[in-house]
Amino acid sequence: MIKQFNKITMVVFATIVFISCNNNAPKESGAIGGEPFKKELADHKVIATSRPNKGDQVSNNLVCMVNDEYMGKQQLEVPFEGKMYYGCCEMCKERIPNDAKVRMAIDPYSLKKVDKATAYIVLIGNQDEVAYFESKHNYDAFLRSAQ
């Protein structure tokens, strides 16, 4: 009986964590072809002015760096070791400083580790997936090598 209760408790907990980190809050939409999708503010944060297309750079502050997903709205700031990371929920806020794997990604072009806080982030998937590059130069080289 206790084992069954423990299993049920674990399933409920896992479900709550999964739901909290994958909330489907409305994302910005309505991009118009050729319209710039970002605007730089005085404090150097970038905000979305329309929905980016696949292949567009997206701002760090609009990406959940735990789920590697473009969220289309300002994410929770998570400062760590002088850098700013972003997450979509409280679980992400707790995980970023405690899990180095979450703060790093592999640049698809150079295959080197890249810090998500300083990466050039690009929307790559139909489900808002992103990829992290060391620089715009690496992203451009990646595009050329794919042709």
Side-chain angles (χ1 to χ4, degrees), residues 28-47:
E28 291 190 20
S29 61
I32 299 172
E35 181 179 328
F37 91 94
K38 60 186 182 176
K39 175 181 174 186
E40 193 161 338
L41 300 175
D43 65 357
H44 303 292
K45 287 186 182 174
V46 178
I47 60 170

Side-chain angles (χ1 to χ4, degrees), residues 15-24 64 66-67 69 71 75 87-93 95:
T15 302
I16 291 169
V17 168
F18 179 76
I19 290 170
S20 70
C21 221
N22 288 310
N23 72 29
N24 290 326
C64 174
V66 174
N67 294 324
E69 184 176 337
M71 304 301 279
Q75 296 301 289
C88 66
C89 66
E90 290 301 318
M91 186 194 72
C92 293
K93 265 181 92 169
R95 192 163 170 208

Side-chain angles (χ1 to χ4, degrees), residues 32-92:
I32 299 172
E35 181 179 328
F37 91 94
K38 60 186 182 176
K39 175 181 174 186
E40 193 161 338
L41 300 175
D43 65 357
H44 303 292
K45 287 186 182 174
V46 178
I47 60 170
T49 57
S50 69
R51 178 87 172 106
N53 295 312
K54 198 170 167 182
D56 287 343
Q57 178 187 14
V58 293
S59 175
N60 294 21
N61 62 318
L62 303 177
V63 171
C64 174
M65 294 179 175
V66 174
N67 294 324
D68 300 324
E69 184 176 337
Y70 170 77
M71 304 301 279
K73 64 180 184 176
Q74 175 69 38
Q75 296 301 289
L76 300 171
E77 294 183 345
V78 186
F80 183 75
E81 293 184 348
K83 297 176 188 168
M84 189 62 70
Y85 298 87
Y86 297 91
C88 66
C89 66
E90 290 301 318
M91 186 194 72
C92 293

Side-chain angles (χ1 to χ4, degrees), residues 68 85 99-106 113-116 132:
D68 300 324
Y85 298 87
D99 187 350
K101 290 182 275 183
V102 170
R103 297 187 305 270
M104 302 301 285
I106 300 295
K113 280 187 178 182
V114 58
D115 190 321
K116 292 179 182 181
Y132 303 87

